[in-house]
Amino acid sequence: MRLPLLLSLFFLSAAAILAEEPRPNIIFVLADDLGWAELGCYGNHFNETPHLDVLASGGMRFTQAYAAAPVCSPYRAALLTGQAPARIGITDYLRPNSSNALSFEHLTLPKMLQRNGYSTGMIGKWHLTGYRHHEAEFEVRPLDHGFDWNIGSETKGVGNGANTWPYVFREQAIPWLDLKENRLREKEYLTDRLNLEAVGFIERSAKQDKPFFLYLSHYAPHSVLNGRDDLVEKYRKKHSPGKSSRENCYLCEDARMGKGDPGNHWASHHNPHLAAMLETIDNGVGMITEKLNALGIADNTILIFTSDNGGESNVTSNAPLRGGKSQLYEGGIRVPLIVRWPSQIPESTTSEAPTMNTDFYPTLLDAAEIEPDPKQKLDGISTLANWTNPDTEPERKFLAWHYPLDQPHFLGGISGGAIRHGDWKMIEHFTTGEHELYSLADDLSEATNLAEEKPEIVSDLKSKLVSWRESIGARIPSPPILTETRNLYFGDHFSPGLVSERLWYSKDWVAEEGLLKRLPNGTENTRIFLRDAEYKNAVVRFDFRMGEAKDIRLMTGSGGGYNAVIHLRPDHFFVQTALDRSVPYFSYRHGECAYEFNPNRWYSMTVEFLEDEVIAHLDHEHVAHARHPMIDRPRQYLALQVDEHAAEFDNFQVFTAVEKKGDAEASAKAQLNAVIDKYPVKRTLEEQFEIEKTNAHERLYQKDANYRALVATVNELDERNEKSFSDAYRSHKDYRKAIAAERKELHDNDPAYKETLFATHRAQRAIEAFLIAKKPEVNDWPRSRKEAEMERLRKRFKKEAPYQKLLTAAELSQAKLEESYPQLFVPDEEIQAMKKAATEKAKNNPKFKTAKDERSAAYRAQQDYLMSNDGQLVNLIEKMAKKD
């Protein structure tokens, strides 16, 4: 009886071992700007793609695969995170000095695979960071996001056409790629080199006892198109290139071919460079499949080929699809997709199920039997069931896109959003509020806009799109009205590990959880400011959530003082220029705009500084405007200020800006004039009077010589009285200046003062050392977190005996300093009392009384003139009189 039992157990164990198949290898090949209709298996008869066609016959070809955005960086971010670009915060392609690198918060697909035993490698285009070569503060590389090995990625801006060794663009000093050596022939071609590296990675990985993930990210066929010479000539002979879409081509000029585009780099159809670049990609797919077969691992390898967005319409047609790269029409977002997995996916199958590249993350984890980490919120869904059976439709409600732009993309894309539900697709124009509606089942080319005929469908889709945007935190920043943005001057998105050191943090501010937070129960009216600021014409933009705050300010300044300040209040916002006695200019409240802020909702504020104008706007309807000579200055100060309550901020950016020109300038000014004061703030007459009284002082001073003379008389009497009766008339500010000057004098010349002062510093450092010992890692934290955490530690340990002992020592040191030098620690109340006592003492002095009466009379004369000669103030006074 025991032998049969043992045999049964043996066979059961063997069966279990055989059932545990190894996890699949994964190879993801991504083309750049390859349109939906470019491959032979998608019906193209000019381009030659035999290996991709074979790949499709051995697996599944998708007819309705979509990119999460119509441009590069958002697609790549969505691929690696499984999230919608708007949730990530990368909705447009990243500029070379971008501050918006892919956040370390994400558990990327390669990191998840790496965590579960995969060897991970990336080859080629990254484009999820700014570059130090372009003065970006941070540069995030593939190795930072879960890749064990990386080669062939860019070190500066891409797309210049320098596709042959040594990959140097024109007269630039360095290559734009990290390739250190030439591994092919004399004119090593970039795509060929990347293919070679891919095969090498596969071969090395196959020798390891674990699965691998390869992300082969080609730069081809992104323009400037520049194919391999022999293949370009092949396609020129095959069909005459179409007319060039550009008049000039610097690659032709550099090659001494003459002006224009004799090299056909910009041929609008039958482009020989595009075909040649695509053939080198296709050759690489052939090399990969051949290597997989030779190694005997093809059956358990998922091989995916797709593109990051539609083809560029300058150099190709995406017909029958409308539009191309940068656009939300099908030509910009529908992409080719082929997936082969011989052991699981049936051959020569076609899937018509709509899918988006956010789906790859959960699908590939599903294929590898890896549970997603709940820390990484996924917007994509697993489509594995559809891969194995094309008749199985993925369960999803709709597909949606969010693509806000400050100005139209140079290829024609507009700021907008889109949604596809069933066969209905709606496009929303953010700038105009227009909608387009298409039935893709009947109108694949999106030729007939049915929005007016089907308003109920538009309404339903718009509601779904708005709800989706709210659910993922999508924001639509108000595009500049008067200006066009240029280079990024400063940016901070407060992502962990990527927080700028240029903002000056105190205990009241912390960057955590991807946000800048003004902490509660801190200093009243606390500020965080930008170090070494120097800017003039600029666009400043930031996201904010009011929370409990009643006053948020964006403060700008010049020459040690403020000029323009934007105030955000719970029910309105306004622009104010400040006091500057050197000119002089006086404080003035300019344009206002009523707006009821939801304290728990996020908003984006755009502020434009252009010469003597500033406009702040939430959108192109809600605008506050100011025009004043004080604004027309270089600025050396930039800060956010919040009252004593908590508030949150994100995506703080400063761009250099230039004025719009020609028709665009005239249109912008007309647009601005149409919305200034469109949403006035409702106030009582008394409230209006207090504001207008302050404003009238500035208005009248600038235009009325008689009023200026009256003001000058008051100022002269103030100066005379301060000299004659300084104790009574000296300002609070002057008292403080005198104390500061004495403190500096003592520091420089009194050793006893210096030692007593340093004793207080040592006592404070002892407290900090005690707190850091409680949480040692804090000592290595950046200032953006350290100051706030130290304050939390103080509150946490303040009742412990050792802390109390150190605190007592610090208080004794401070008490000794104040006892020895009491003149340096005069409180505000004492200054006020001293002034009051001096006034009381001098009141019986006839000269003091005369001086005081003269000043009072001069001020009354000034005020009487103000109330009688400023038209706006006179009108308001009359209204108040009628009311009474």
Side-chain angles (χ1 to χ4, degrees):
M1 293 290 293
R2 295 179 63 186
L3 181 60
L5 178 60
L6 289 171
L7 288 172
S8 298
L9 290 173
F10 171 79
F11 287 121
L12 284 171
S13 299
I17 292 170
L18 291 172
E20 291 181 7
E21 293 186 5
R23 285 175 169 159
N25 304 306
I26 302 167
I27 300 174
F28 194 99
V29 183
L30 183 65
D32 194 356
D33 295 354
L34 181 68
W36 182 74
E38 300 290 4
L39 306 183
C41 55
Y42 280 82
N44 193 290
H45 299 295
F46 175 64
N47 302 327
E48 297 178 17
T49 57
H51 299 294
L52 285 164
D53 300 342
V54 169
L55 188 72
S57 67
M60 183 175 289
R61 183 177 65 90
F62 292 76
T63 62
Q64 301 192 70
Y66 287 97
V71 289
C72 171
S73 300
Y75 177 99
R76 294 160 197 273
L79 168 67
L80 294 180
T81 65
Q83 293 185 343
R87 189 189 294 278
I88 305 164
I90 299 177
T91 55
D92 195 8
Y93 70 93
L94 299 186
R95 275 54 172 182
N97 72 333
S98 174
S99 59
N100 197 18
L102 184 64
S103 171
F104 296 136
E105 292 176 285
H106 294 292
L107 288 170
T108 60
L109 175 61
K111 192 172 291 185
M112 285 294 294
L113 293 171
Q114 185 185 62
R115 180 190 287 181
N116 286 274
Y118 273 76
S119 173
T120 58
M122 190 205 159
I123 300 167
K125 184 173 179 178
W126 177 239
H127 208 168
L128 289 173
T129 186
Y131 309 101
R132 293 200 185 277
H133 179 82
H134 296 282
E135 300 183 345
E137 188 168 356
F138 299 102
E139 183 172 298
V140 175
R141 309 302 299 176
L143 299 183
D144 298 319
H145 274 292
F147 288 103
D148 301 316
W149 176 79
N150 167 232
I151 197 171
S153 292
E154 71 278 4
T155 56
K156 58 190 297 296
V158 302
N160 52 43
N163 295 341
T164 56
W165 178 268
Y167 311 113
V168 176
F169 174 57
R170 308 196 88 182
E171 303 301 320
Q172 293 184 357
I174 63 169
W176 61 279
L177 294 162
D178 64 8
L179 297 171
K180 305 299 183 185
E181 61 177 345
N182 184 335
R183 292 190 60 197
L184 294 171
R185 53 194 168 276
E186 181 183 352
K187 294 182 69 174
E188 175 183 275
Y189 187 70
L190 178 56
T191 309
D192 293 335
R193 173 64 182 276
L194 300 186
N195 291 334
L196 177 69
E197 297 292 349
V199 171
F201 175 83
I202 294 168
E203 194 164 34
R204 292 192 304 274
S205 299
K207 296 176 182 178
Q208 303 176 23
D209 189 23
K210 58 181 182 179
F212 64 84
F213 169 59
L214 171 61
Y215 175 29
L216 172 56
S217 177
H218 284 294
Y219 297 93
H222 188 293
S223 65
V224 177
L225 299 179
N226 194 13
R228 210 174 72 199
D229 291 344
D230 58 324
L231 294 177
V232 170
E233 188 58 31
K234 166 187 170 180
Y235 285 100
R236 277 204 192 99
K237 292 177 179 177
K238 184 174 183 178
H239 193 289
S240 298
K243 182 180 178 181
S244 177
S245 61
R246 289 196 179 183
E247 295 181 1
N248 296 303
C249 172
Y250 56 74
L251 292 177
C252 298
E253 293 176 16
D254 290 351
R256 299 182 180 180
M257 298 174 68
K259 297 289 186 180
D261 182 26
N264 311 120
H265 295 274
W266 295 98
S268 54
H269 61 84
H270 294 91
N271 190 303
H273 290 274
L274 191 153
M277 294 173 85
L278 180 53
E279 182 167 331
T280 56
I281 293 174
D282 184 78
N283 287 339
V285 172
M287 292 166 61
I288 289 170
T289 54
E290 182 180 352
K291 179 59 65 175
L292 293 175
N293 290 331
L295 294 171
I297 58 174
D299 284 352
N300 197 38
T301 297
I302 300 172
L303 178 53
I304 300 168
F305 177 84
T306 188
S307 174
D308 63 347
N309 48 249
E312 183 177 327
S313 53
N314 282 335
V315 293
T316 190
S317 167
N318 294 299
L321 308 182
R322 179 179 178 179
K325 177 182 178 179
S326 88
Q327 298 176 306
L328 291 172
Y329 296 118
E330 293 292 289
I333 55 177
R334 194 181 288 210
V335 293
L337 171 61
I338 301 168
V339 181
R340 190 191 75 168
W341 187 9
S343 64
Q344 300 293 329
I345 296 176
E347 295 182 1
S348 299
T349 50
T350 300
S351 173
E352 297 181 357
T355 183
M356 186 178 280
N357 69 297
T358 49
D359 296 337
F360 287 121
Y361 188 120
T363 304
L364 291 173
L365 290 188
D366 196 3
E369 298 183 354
I370 298 171
E371 285 294 322
D373 192 311
K375 293 178 183 177
Q376 181 72 10
K377 170 69 176 176
L378 297 180
D379 293 310
I381 63 171
S382 174
T383 58
L384 185 61
N386 176 252
W387 284 14
T388 57
N389 181 1
D391 295 328
T392 303
E393 286 279 342
E395 294 184 9
R396 75 165 84 244
K397 296 178 181 178
F398 52 77
L399 294 171
W401 292 263
H402 185 67
Y403 185 53
L405 298 174
D406 277 346
Q407 54 206 36
H409 190 282
F410 62 86
L411 291 174
I414 55 91
S415 181
I419 182 170
R420 174 174 174 172
H421 182 247
D423 288 323
W424 288 108
K425 179 182 171 189
M426 185 196 75
I427 299 174
E428 176 186 9
H429 294 238
F430 291 156
T431 52
T432 64
E434 296 176 78
H435 296 89
E436 300 176 49
L437 179 68
Y438 302 101
S439 172
L440 296 179
D442 308 315
D443 182 18
L444 183 61
S445 299
E446 296 172 291
T448 305
N449 181 2
L450 301 174
E452 291 188 6
E453 295 178 29
K454 306 284 186 180
E456 70 286 354
I457 296 178
V458 171
S459 177
D460 178 59
L461 293 180
K462 176 66 179 292
S463 176
K464 287 182 170 63
L465 189 57
V466 169
S467 295
W468 173 76
R469 285 201 292 260
E470 290 178 352
S471 72
I472 64 169
R475 297 160 199 168
I476 308 174
S478 184
I481 298 173
L482 294 177
T483 64
E484 293 180 356
T485 57
R486 289 296 185 260
N487 291 332
L488 178 73
Y489 172 69
F490 170 76
D492 201 337
H493 303 268
F494 310 105
S495 299
L498 301 174
V499 178
S500 175
E501 291 295 313
R502 288 189 62 191
L503 289 177
W504 184 263
Y505 283 81
S506 68
K507 65 180 182 179
D508 298 318
W509 296 86
V510 65
E512 61 183 7
E513 299 173 341
L515 301 173
L516 172 64
K517 298 181 180 181
R518 188 275 190 252
L519 298 173
N521 306 316
T523 309
E524 185 177 358
N525 294 329
T526 183
R527 297 174 194 164
I528 186 168
F529 63 88
L530 180 65
R531 302 172 193 255
D532 304 321
E534 189 172 345
Y535 62 108
K536 188 174 187 290
N537 291 343
V539 172
V540 180
R541 174 175 288 152
F542 58 94
D543 299 340
F544 67 97
R545 183 157 54 186
M546 290 286 291
E548 298 177 355
K550 301 297 184 288
D551 183 35
I552 294 175
R553 303 181 188 185
L554 177 72
M555 310 184 75
T556 68
S558 306
Y562 304 122
N563 47 39
V565 180
I566 288 80
H567 293 254
L568 307 176
R569 302 281 173 80
D571 60 354
H572 70 288
F573 60 96
F574 63 93
V575 182
Q576 183 172 7
T577 47
L579 172 70
D580 183 349
R581 295 189 183 279
S582 67
V583 179
Y585 295 130
F586 300 97
S587 179
Y588 194 96
R589 183 177 293 203
H590 296 266
E592 301 180 309
C593 181
Y595 196 94
E596 291 290 337
F597 289 104
N598 181 332
N600 299 313
R601 182 183 167 190
W602 282 96
Y603 298 90
S604 293
M605 174 60 70
T606 300
V607 184
E608 300 175 63
F609 297 93
L610 180 64
E611 306 303 338
D612 64 349
E613 281 185 278
V614 58
I615 53 175
H617 43 105
L618 295 167
D619 52 48
H620 285 190
E621 294 283 311
H622 296 87
V623 176
H625 172 263
R627 188 165 209 153
H628 195 279
M630 190 175 191
I631 301 169
D632 191 12
R633 298 178 174 185
R635 278 166 271 276
Q636 294 89 31
Y637 188 80
L638 181 64
L640 287 170
Q641 175 177 302
V642 185
D643 60 18
E644 63 270 25
H645 301 294
E648 294 177 328
F649 302 87
D650 199 2
N651 300 319
F652 190 88
Q653 297 176 91
V654 183
F655 300 91
T656 58
V658 297
E659 184 177 14
K660 291 181 178 178
K661 299 296 183 183
D663 292 343
E665 179 187 8
S667 175
K669 289 183 176 179
Q671 177 187 356
L672 178 61
N673 291 332
V675 296
I676 289 176
D677 299 326
K678 184 173 183 178
Y679 297 99
V681 179
K682 294 180 181 179
R683 287 196 176 88
T684 65
L685 291 174
E686 290 75 16
E687 289 170 336
Q688 293 179 52
F689 176 77
E690 290 302 318
I691 293 172
E692 286 306 324
K693 182 181 176 182
T694 301
N695 285 357
H697 178 57
E698 165 68 356
R699 281 197 299 263
L700 211 57
Y701 184 89
Q702 300 303 334
K703 69 180 183 181
D704 191 321
N706 293 328
Y707 185 69
R708 283 197 296 274
L710 292 170
V711 174
T713 299
V714 173
N715 291 340
E716 289 167 4
L717 291 173
D718 282 339
E719 291 177 9
R720 182 199 69 181
N721 292 349
E722 187 173 336
K723 288 180 181 178
S724 302
F725 308 96
S726 59
D727 289 342
Y729 279 98
R730 188 162 49 157
S731 70
H732 188 96
K733 187 175 183 179
D734 287 338
Y735 268 101
R736 288 293 174 209
K737 282 184 178 179
I739 291 172
E742 184 175 357
R743 184 178 285 115
K744 185 177 186 305
E745 175 71 18
L746 289 168
H747 186 276
D748 293 341
N749 300 298
D750 186 340
Y753 169 77
K754 200 169 183 178
E755 172 54 33
T756 309
L757 175 65
F758 284 6
T760 66
H761 295 170
R762 288 193 295 270
Q764 289 299 326
R765 286 198 295 271
I767 291 175
E768 291 178 3
F770 169 82
L771 295 173
I772 288 174
K774 294 291 185 179
K775 193 172 184 178
E777 63 268 28
V778 173
N779 200 39
D780 297 324
W781 286 9
R783 189 179 180 92
S784 57
R785 296 172 60 204
K786 184 175 182 179
E787 297 301 314
E789 186 62 22
M790 290 295 288
E791 185 64 17
R792 290 168 178 159
L793 291 172
R794 284 186 183 93
K795 293 176 180 178
R796 179 179 172 186
F797 296 106
K798 66 180 180 179
K799 293 183 180 180
E800 287 196 5
Y803 181 84
Q804 285 293 316
K805 184 177 179 180
L806 292 169
L807 184 61
T808 299
E811 290 171 348
L812 288 172
S813 296
Q814 183 66 28
K816 182 179 179 181
L817 181 66
E818 294 181 17
E819 183 181 350
S820 302
Y821 302 91
Q823 73 275 24
L824 303 181
F825 301 94
V826 183
D828 291 346
E829 297 80 7
E830 189 173 329
I831 291 174
Q832 194 62 34
M834 289 165 57
K835 291 179 64 176
K836 186 176 180 181
T839 302
E840 186 68 22
K841 181 179 179 181
K843 71 178 183 180
N844 294 322
N845 183 334
K847 291 183 179 180
F848 179 81
K849 187 175 185 304
T850 300
K852 183 178 179 181
D853 290 345
E854 287 178 350
R855 200 275 181 190
S856 297
Y859 183 71
R860 282 197 301 272
Q862 174 197 324
Q863 290 297 296
D864 290 344
Y865 193 92
L866 179 70
M867 300 296 173
S868 304
N869 290 274
D870 182 84
Q872 294 183 46
L873 199 56
V874 169
N875 184 49
L876 193 54
I877 292 170
E878 290 175 354
K879 288 183 179 180
M880 293 173 67
K882 289 179 182 179
K883 175 188 172 187
D884 293 339

